[in-house]
Amino acid sequence: GFAERLVVSQQSAFRFPAALTMAEGALVEPIACGRRALRMARFQPGDSLLVMGAGSMGLAAIYWARALGAGRIVVVTRTAARHDVALAMGADAAVATGSGDPGALARAMPQPPDLVIEATGKPGMLHAAVEHAKVGCAVISLGSEADTNAAIAGALLGQASKQDYAALDAYGRALGEAFQIADDLLDLEGDAAT
């Protein structure tokens, strides 16, 4: 890890409960980012989502969207390797971009989504996310594409004015809410068990 190379202020650090394993602790940040992304997008029950990427960030967004009452959720991945996990987390459909079927995404999501979440961080993917967005929808970047402003500006040229899109970057802003979100998750699981 990076703990021996990182200095943080006391107010930015959180002590995990002793009962939490290191593996569980490693999931706090992506789970928190997934929840915060939906909060920032002003997600409403019934909203449809396109999630680009099925790593820990994308899967967390899928989990929270389903738990909070999303409409259709479609995940796009490079390969089918994570499709079963994405479907288990709550996605309705999973599409592999490398499948050789250019119409697969349009069939899986025939209408533009209410929210697009880019969770790969790969160059060009934020641009692609904006291209899939309908006017007025939120585009959330949970990846870490180096030049988000250039990606957004490039995607907007010739399509719509900048005011038509809410382009938000949730990554890196979620840790302050991590434990509140973890509490939300535990409450949600407790409610489901009763």
Side-chain angles (χ1 to χ4, degrees):
F2 292 107
E4 64 276 4
R5 296 181 181 95
L6 186 65
V7 177
V8 295
S9 66
Q10 186 173 358
Q11 69 231 30
S12 297
F14 299 94
R15 182 178 303 278
F16 285 135
L20 197 66
T21 68
M22 293 298 275
E24 292 166 335
L27 294 175
V28 169
E29 190 251 355
I31 290 289
C33 287
R35 179 66 179 99
R36 176 145 173 104
L38 296 179
R39 284 183 181 166
M40 291 180 70
R42 295 180 183 91
F43 169 84
Q44 296 295 311
D47 282 355
S48 60
L49 275 78
L50 174 62
V51 179
M52 301 175 77
S56 59
M57 294 292 187
L59 293 173
I62 291 167
Y63 170 82
W64 279 113
R66 180 56 62 218
L68 296 171
R72 186 149 183 84
I73 302 171
V74 175
V75 63
V76 176
T77 63
R78 284 184 298 134
T79 68
R82 301 201 114 210
H83 286 187
D84 288 342
V85 176
L87 295 170
M89 294 297 281
D92 295 299
V95 176
T97 57
S99 69
D101 182 358
L105 179 57
R107 286 191 305 279
M109 182 157 273
Q111 300 298 318
D114 297 307
L115 169 59
V116 181
I117 295 179
E118 189 286 309
T120 69
K122 303 245 186 275
M125 292 305 290
L126 187 55
H127 179 103
V130 174
E131 287 180 339
H132 288 294
K134 67 181 178 183
V135 173
C137 109
V139 174
I140 303 294
S141 173
L142 288 176
S144 298
E145 187 168 334
D147 192 354
T148 56
N149 290 333
I152 293 167
L156 293 174
L157 286 175
Q159 288 189 17
S161 69
K162 197 170 185 177
Q163 293 81 6
D164 287 333
Y165 291 91
L168 305 169
D169 187 358
Y171 186 82
R173 299 180 190 165
L175 288 179
E177 295 182 34
F179 281 95
Q180 177 59 50
I181 291 169
D183 286 344
D184 291 349
L185 178 60
L186 293 172
D187 289 346
L188 188 64
E189 288 179 347
D191 292 344
T194 57

